[in-house]
Amino acid sequence: MGANDSKAGGLDRVLVLEVARVTEAAAIAAARLRGRGDEKAADKAAVDAMRSELGKVHIRGRVVIGEGEMDESPMLYIGEQVGIGDGPEVDIAVDPLEGTTICAKAMPNALAVLAVSERGGLLNAPDMYMNKIAIGPGYPDGIIDLDAPPADTLNALAKAKGVPVSEITACILDRPRHADLIAAVRKAGAGVQLIPDGDIAGVIWTTDAEETGIDIYLGIGGAPEGVLAAAALRCIGGQMQGRLHPLKKEEETRAASMGVTDIRRKYNMNEMASGDVIFSATGVTDGSLLDGVHFRHGFAETETVVLRSKTGTVRRIKTSFRMIGTKPSI
Ligand code: VTB
């Protein structure tokens, strides 16, 4: 396998380590600005570091989910070519700092996130909202439906799990827009874990309900985060659906210009992330998915999880970087 891997129709497996380095660099850069109350500075540090590391990877990469359109963002904008330019043609989705606010407040679960796919493998989701539903592996196909009443889904899930619905917990972003959803979940008898931000982690938590206590992710969050979560779930297993949730006519127009022909379309996980996909996330602040960056005298330690859809490998990597001044020697 090895280098021949890509010829067999997948991504070269060496890429797994390359992408880990990219999220590690972004996480360290953002971690230096934890708790400073400056979301923009932390995000910019992560973006700069991620872009600089991507520039060292042997890929012909195209950003399909990034920091916005070219006119909004000088770096990692949608359509930007990244990488050395001499490897496989891949599409890239980035969220250099998932949870800018939680990082700025030094709260748990901020991540640096990236996914790589074969060309055309990731839904080119515009920067707008997406309504999402996701569960981990081990359930019968088709048990979740974005359009079903939450009580029906929760009862079906409980039945399949062999527990009363009172033992089911849904993870939902703590937003006023979710008041009805939260009430419906509680009325059905299930619990709700509210999160302030960071719904990529929210979706990933469903893949290890025993550990995290979360069985299902529900609600409206960012569409780019939806695609990144779908990429992760495809590697671990699970089911997910998403539907774009535009708030303004301009968002529909933007979606159309990015190739979305039916704004009401319900995407399943495989339609959001297809082909061979590699997903990498490094913790910025300590969280239940990953430890954050720990600075020790002259060193920075990171924890990263790298997932690959082709093999289903879940690889956890603890790295200790020597720091040269404020930068890790990568
Ligand atoms: C989520 C979450 C992000 O945005 O997608 C959320 O994953 C949705 O947007 O971490 P609102 O904040 O407008 O609800 C974040 O919280 C921030 O990008």
Side-chain angles (χ1 to χ4, degrees), residues 95 97-102 129 132 173 175 177 195-200 217 220-223 225-226:
D95 194 349
L97 182 53
E98 157 67 339
T100 48
T101 307
I102 48 187
Y129 282 130
K132 315 170 196 180
L173 275 169
R175 297 291 187 276
R177 64 176 176 267
I195 51 170
D197 281 296
D199 67 351
I200 298 178
Y217 178 84
I220 296 167
E225 288 89 346

Side-chain angles (χ1 to χ4, degrees), residues 138-140 143 154-165 167-168 215:
Y139 288 103
I143 194 169
L154 295 164
N155 283 313
L157 213 56
K159 196 163 169 229
K161 199 179 171 186
V163 297
V165 71
E167 285 179 33
I168 296 290
D215 302 286

